[in-house]
Amino acid sequence: MLMQTHEARLSALREELKKRGLDGFCVPIADPHMSEYVGEDAQRLHWLTGFGGSAGSAVVLQDKAAIFVDGRYTVQVRDQVEERLFEYRGVPKDNPADWLAENAHEGAQIGYDAWLATPGWVRTTAAALEKVGAKLVPVDGNPIDAVWQDQPAQSEAPARVHADAYAGRNAQEKRAAIADWLTQEKLDAVVISALDSVGWAFNIRGGDIAHTPVAMAFALVDQDGTAQLFIDEAKVSPELKQHLGNAVTLRPRSEFESALGAFNGKRIALDPEYGVAAIAQALEAGGAKVVETRDPTILPRAIKNEAEIDGHRDAQARDGAAVSRFLAWIEAEAPSGKIDELTAAAKLLEFRQKDAGLADTSFDTISAAAGHAAMPHYKVDEDSNIPIPPSSIFLCDSGGQYFNAEGAGTTDITRTVWVGPGEPSTEMKDRFTRVLKGHIAIAQAIFPEGTTGGQLDTLARHALWQAGCDYAHGTGHGVGSALGVHEGPQRIAKTTGSQGGTMEPLVAGMICSNEPGYYKAGEYGIRIENLVLIEEREIEGADEGTWFGFENLTWVPLDRALIDTDLLSPEERDWVDHYHACCRQILSPRVDGQAADWLERHTQPL
């Protein structure tokens, strides 16, 4: 009989821990590749607690438990997780290591899965426990897997070739560059464990994780440019074998751990952010010297080439047409009060699917009405679904993965709209316009070489700060090329707490989101998100050096009903008018009927 309640699941886990002689266990949202989004089989935190966000962790002791989430999920965790079972803790103020140090008794054995934890996390948590006489111990097999009776099977989706025309650079050249880097750094080999890094380095894609076109695989690349790719044999087609060539040895994924023992006396690179503790432990057990350093594919992957940029531009235009059709439909249908969040998300997917190039959405659509829009990462389901109320704000954050003859690209767009009848409140218009002012400030930013995302972030918040407002998420993240919708190393965000890419210099070819927001708990939320490309700028009379700005990539009109034009400067009004003129020019050939009429009305000058 399946355990239906989270209380029963928590009890079953505690019994399993007792059998293993463990006093506690750490439960992250993670897979062995440290992916941001994980497969259904790896959704252990969701199964245990009910929390449906994409980032978080829990710690379970025999007499108490806690769940840790960041500011994006403060409201959501309270809706989805029972407080009588799990204490709510907010990061970075609170963290599992400190909580364990306060709550674990002397002599306690606290288990963790070394395939789901980074070496740094292990060091920090072990040190915190050591101070109170407790010990962090790796488990042999995840105890949640032992009690999760209907755990989904791992994906069997095939891997596929990512054409050079999409990639703009062949895989042999990429691996040669990795080999050159190994030689320069006096390293013998590198472990590539992040799934998007494997996909980029070998020009392969897959379907193992929803919304992110990656194949579950590990790779080892040697100093001579040869490589071993560890991937389930059932995923490999003759076409893929031919694409990989003789320099790549294909091995079953199950042989990866034992292969790590063959580097006695060698210096092996491992990215401390994506290489899990089990990899480091297996390398060290085999006599290798683990050198923690950044995965050499990360920066080249972030700097898009012309083929990737062209693919992005094409994908944004296709996506902009679909989103415009959707917003025209929302404007016409939602004021009736008969459209709910799930129906809206399904309709948006329907509009996107009219384009044969759509392979998948790039993440779960955030279709958020009224107070749900105040949760930045809200995910609608049958339990949370509500009608979109007339006379309210509706927020939709969504994206697509496109592969077609013109190229391949990943999109991510948020639009906040007023659902009639009537007019938005003065406060709503004020907050929307301040968010818009921040969005424009980023879009118009000019900055010198060496500038980081952390330095630009204040531009997006300035107008909100003047009204005593802020938002608890970053302003911008990197975006992959037909890969992950969130991609490092660059990030536009506050530099307090974890730096998380905010100190990475921004360079030409990187793609970022521009998405300031405002959230009033229980009432409404606002976010405006476009994708932008960092490009070099020629500035007359500029000092020596290289200067950068942003090329806008996303083209969908903004809701004029929410704009207080009196709050905009003449320059900001000109920006909105120019943006809308570009939307009309780019999208007009792609829409007709109701959507064409909507586009014409919503792109008139302010």
Side-chain angles (χ1 to χ4, degrees), residues 203-227:
N203 281 354
I204 61 175
R205 297 293 187 269
D208 286 336
I209 293 180
H211 314 303
T212 307
V214 292
M216 300 293 281
F218 292 103
L220 291 165
V221 180
D222 291 323
Q223 197 184 81
D224 63 2
T226 62

Side-chain angles (χ1 to χ4, degrees), residues 156-173:
E156 296 180 350
R160 63 180 188 272
V161 175
H162 188 62
D164 291 352
Y166 291 158
R169 188 178 176 195
N170 70 47
Q172 291 77 13
E173 291 173 349

Side-chain angles (χ1 to χ4, degrees), residues 143-164:
I144 289 182
D145 297 351
V147 296
W148 187 354
Q149 296 168 329
D150 56 345
Q151 185 176 19
Q154 291 186 355
S155 167
E156 296 180 350
R160 63 180 188 272
V161 175
H162 188 62
D164 291 352

Side-chain angles (χ1 to χ4, degrees), residues 28-81:
I29 302 174
D31 67 8
H33 308 271
M34 289 289 112
S35 305
E36 178 182 17
Y37 299 114
V38 301
E40 291 300 314
D41 62 296
Q43 292 282 1
R44 297 177 180 89
L45 187 68
H46 179 255
W47 177 85
L48 181 67
T49 69
F51 176 64
S54 62
S57 62
V59 179
V60 175
L61 300 177
Q62 288 296 340
D63 59 343
K64 62 180 66 176
I67 186 166
F68 300 80
V69 299
D70 63 37
R72 296 171 296 173
Y73 298 112
T74 302
V75 177
Q76 183 174 340
V77 74
R78 284 163 172 77
D79 284 347
Q80 295 178 331
V81 180

Side-chain angles (χ1 to χ4, degrees), residues 439-581:
H439 182 94
I440 295 170
I442 293 293
Q444 293 186 316
I446 303 292
F447 48 96
E449 185 175 15
T451 300
T452 67
Q455 290 172 304
L456 295 184
D457 183 73
T458 304
L459 297 175
R461 300 178 192 268
H462 176 73
L464 285 164
W465 285 353
Q466 304 313 298
C469 303
D470 201 1
Y471 51 95
H473 59 73
T475 299
H477 56 81
V479 178
S481 178
L483 275 171
V485 72
H486 294 159
E487 178 179 87
Q490 75 277 15
R491 188 163 177 255
I492 303 173
K494 293 179 181 180
T495 55
T496 54
S498 172
Q499 300 302 306
T502 59
M503 302 305 291
E504 184 71 32
L506 302 176
V507 300
M510 288 178 171
I511 292 174
C512 290
S513 65
N514 172 11
E515 51 178 312
Y518 172 76
Y519 309 93
K520 187 170 185 179
E523 295 193 28
Y524 64 89
I526 293 163
R527 187 161 64 253
I528 302 170
E529 178 184 19
N530 287 352
L531 299 188
V532 292
L533 170 70
I534 301 168
E535 59 178 2
E536 286 193 29
R537 289 285 174 86
E538 294 291 335
I539 303 174
E540 187 175 348
D543 293 341
E544 290 185 4
T546 303
W547 292 80
F548 299 110
F550 293 113
E551 173 195 332
N552 192 77
L553 295 174
T554 304
W555 304 106
V556 173
L558 306 163
D559 190 351
R560 297 155 55 89
L562 284 162
I563 298 175
D564 181 349
T565 54
D566 291 339
L567 277 178
L568 296 179
S569 69
E571 184 182 30
E572 289 168 335
R573 289 197 292 271
D574 287 345
W575 184 93
V576 173
D577 287 345
H578 177 71
Y579 177 75
H580 280 158

Side-chain angles (χ1 to χ4, degrees), residues 340-508:
D340 60 31
E341 294 168 329
L342 279 176
T343 302
K347 192 68 176 180
L348 176 53
L349 178 60
E350 180 184 319
F351 283 124
R352 278 199 168 101
Q353 288 174 331
K354 291 181 184 297
D355 190 313
L358 182 78
D360 195 357
T361 52
S362 56
F363 55 98
D364 287 318
T365 294
I366 298 171
S367 175
H372 286 166
M375 295 184 274
H377 278 223
Y378 169 71
K379 181 180 177 182
V380 61
D381 57 27
E382 293 289 349
D383 293 331
S384 68
N385 184 37
I386 61 170
I388 300 172
S391 305
S392 71
I393 276 177
F394 174 68
L395 182 153
C396 188
D397 186 349
S398 66
Q401 298 281 5
Y402 291 86
F403 297 82
N404 51 70
E406 283 72 30
T410 301
T411 71
D412 185 1
I413 174 174
T414 307
R415 285 296 179 267
T416 305
V417 298
W418 173 251
V419 175
E423 297 290 328
S425 69
T426 300
E427 180 190 84
M428 288 174 175
K429 293 180 72 170
D430 177 271
R431 299 302 188 258
F432 182 92
T433 308
R434 290 179 187 278
V435 171
L436 175 59
K437 287 169 75 73
H439 182 94
I440 295 170
I442 293 293
Q444 293 186 316
I446 303 292
F447 48 96
E449 185 175 15
T451 300
T452 67
Q455 290 172 304
L456 295 184
D457 183 73
T458 304
L459 297 175
R461 300 178 192 268
H462 176 73
L464 285 164
W465 285 353
Q466 304 313 298
C469 303
D470 201 1
Y471 51 95
H473 59 73
T475 299
H477 56 81
V479 178
S481 178
L483 275 171
V485 72
H486 294 159
E487 178 179 87
Q490 75 277 15
R491 188 163 177 255
I492 303 173
K494 293 179 181 180
T495 55
T496 54
S498 172
Q499 300 302 306
T502 59
M503 302 305 291
E504 184 71 32
L506 302 176
V507 300

